[in-house]
Amino acid sequence: MTAHDASRAAASRLREAGVPEPTASAEVLLSELLGARRGDLRFRREPLSREQSKAYEAMISRRLDREPVQRILGYAYFRNLRLSLGEEVLIPRADTESVVEAALERIDLRDGACRVLDLGTGSGAIALAIADERPACEVHASDVSEAALRIARRNAELNLDRSERVAFHRADLVSGLEALAGDVDLLVSNPPYVASAALAGLAPEVRDWDPPLALDGGPDGLDLYRRLLAETACLLKPGAEVVLEVGDGQAKEVLCIGESAGLRRVGARPDLTGTLRAVILEKKGS
Ligand SMILES: C[S@@+](CC[C@H](N)C(=O)[O-])C[C@H]1O[C@@H](n2cnc3c(N)ncnc32)[C@H](O)[C@@H]1O
């Protein structure tokens, strides 16, 4: 069977089984397996080898079990990075790229050189993208999960010219970050923000494969924002900014939580679909 025929047959099996984005799943898995560009699959007329067919079949059967494409591959693309994954980290989302963009804008308004903290770094997506795209910044990344930090450190080695450009900290919110007290110019975070009761209704790709620690935001999804905004003020320099990813419809409430914690609201930025995705706040007193 040619690559083109194999991906079409796989796409129709996935479609019949009700798997979302069947064509994209089938094509991305095969193109990554073959090291080919997705758009070139249709021109590849040579038959797949026996090993390739076997490996592709194994991938498709995992996708039929609703395992996400990135977990089957073991990596995800995020801005300029290819990030290794493990079961302990969230798959970095396209939505979060717009949060990185908001952070980069704030960095540029501060002439590019500042001390940045990515709190709840997971795979390292936000911290590593900032270190990669704004080399003058001093970047710190923290997570409560030691397993996630191991993956993030590995991703720094795989993606940055000098992995020591990012300092990693095991910390439960601020507990463990005392060394940064009063020194952070920009705090960025994509905290867990799904309401606990909504977890069971998430798509199987998320519910069964992303770690609960990365998703569960408590009864109304806002627990981590309340704790984070109340506790991290001591880390921020006067005039420092906070850029937070928020879930659909959470921007207004998170801005209010920030104001109650004594911060000034700067605004909210939409993602590519027009949904408000990044909330920006500032510590008073610059
Ligand atoms: C939604 S994931 C975001 C991961 C990554 N920053 C991204 O955008 O792809 C939230 C992350 O916060 C971490 N986390 C949860 N509770 C935390 C806490 N109390 N202190 C620090 N990190 C925490 C989780 O382990 C997880 O890696």
Side-chain angles (χ1 to χ4, degrees):
M1 209 188 252
T2 66
H4 182 52
D5 292 341
S7 84
R8 281 176 45 142
S12 78
R13 280 170 69 200
L14 293 170
R15 188 173 303 107
E16 275 163 29
V19 174
E21 303 186 338
T23 303
S25 298
E27 291 184 357
V28 169
L29 288 169
L30 188 55
S31 58
E32 293 287 325
L33 176 69
L34 300 180
R37 285 154 52 104
R38 186 175 158 193
D40 290 345
L41 286 180
R42 64 177 59 242
F43 305 116
R44 291 179 69 127
R45 297 288 165 198
E46 69 276 20
L48 297 183
S49 69
R50 184 191 296 260
E51 291 72 31
Q52 287 167 337
S53 298
K54 216 170 136 193
Y56 190 44
E57 177 54 34
M59 287 173 147
I60 295 303
S61 80
R62 287 170 71 178
R63 187 71 192 104
L64 285 165
D65 284 341
R66 304 294 292 266
E67 186 170 352
V69 167
Q70 298 94 326
R71 295 216 183 267
I72 296 169
L73 295 172
Y75 51 82
Y77 294 100
F78 184 81
R79 296 187 70 88
N80 303 324
L81 313 168
R82 193 177 106 159
L83 299 169
S84 291
L85 300 173
E87 61 187 26
E88 304 85 353
V89 296
L90 186 93
I91 296 174
R93 308 292 208 267
D95 292 343
T96 306
E97 300 208 9
S98 53
V99 177
V100 170
E101 264 158 37
L104 296 177
E105 263 177 33
R106 309 320 292 176
I107 290 167
D108 292 342
L109 289 171
R110 292 165 179 269
D111 296 333
C114 52
R115 189 169 288 120
V116 180
L117 168 65
D118 169 23
L119 194 153
T121 198
S123 64
I126 297 174
L128 300 184
I130 291 173
D132 175 53
E133 296 182 49
R134 294 297 181 274
C137 286
E138 178 184 315
V139 181
H140 296 260
S142 71
D143 207 289
V144 71
S145 158
E146 188 55 62
L149 284 172
R150 266 198 300 279
I151 291 168
R153 276 195 200 95
R154 173 98 183 105
N155 280 327
E157 283 161 15
L158 291 170
N159 285 280
L160 299 181
D161 48 351
R162 289 183 301 112
S163 59
E164 68 277 12
R165 289 194 32 232
V166 179
F168 294 95
H169 309 263
R170 163 119 209 285
D172 181 354
L173 291 183
V174 290
S175 169
L177 293 174
E178 291 76 8
L180 295 177
D183 261 348
V184 172
D185 298 287
L186 181 69
L187 188 153
V188 192
S189 185
N190 172 18
Y193 54 63
V194 181
S196 307
L199 291 170
L202 294 173
E205 282 81 355
V206 181
R207 184 192 64 214
D208 300 340
W209 297 96
D210 276 325
L213 184 61
L215 299 175
D216 192 347
D220 64 354
L222 300 171
D223 266 9
L224 262 287
Y225 296 103
R226 290 193 194 89
R227 285 187 58 204
L228 186 151
L229 287 164
E231 293 179 26
T232 56
C234 64
L235 300 178
L236 305 174
K237 282 184 189 164
E241 288 180 304
V242 178
V243 175
L244 298 177
E245 177 163 335
V246 293
D248 294 6
Q250 291 177 333
K252 211 169 138 192
E253 279 168 290
V254 173
L255 282 167
C256 290
I257 294 170
E259 285 180 319
S260 307
L263 299 171
R264 190 181 74 78
R265 73 165 67 199
V266 176
R269 285 271 319 253
D271 61 21
L272 288 174
T273 70
T275 303
L276 290 179
R277 186 62 62 203
V279 153
I280 306 162
L281 293 145
E282 183 186 50
K283 181 166 174 168
K284 295 172 188 161
S286 55

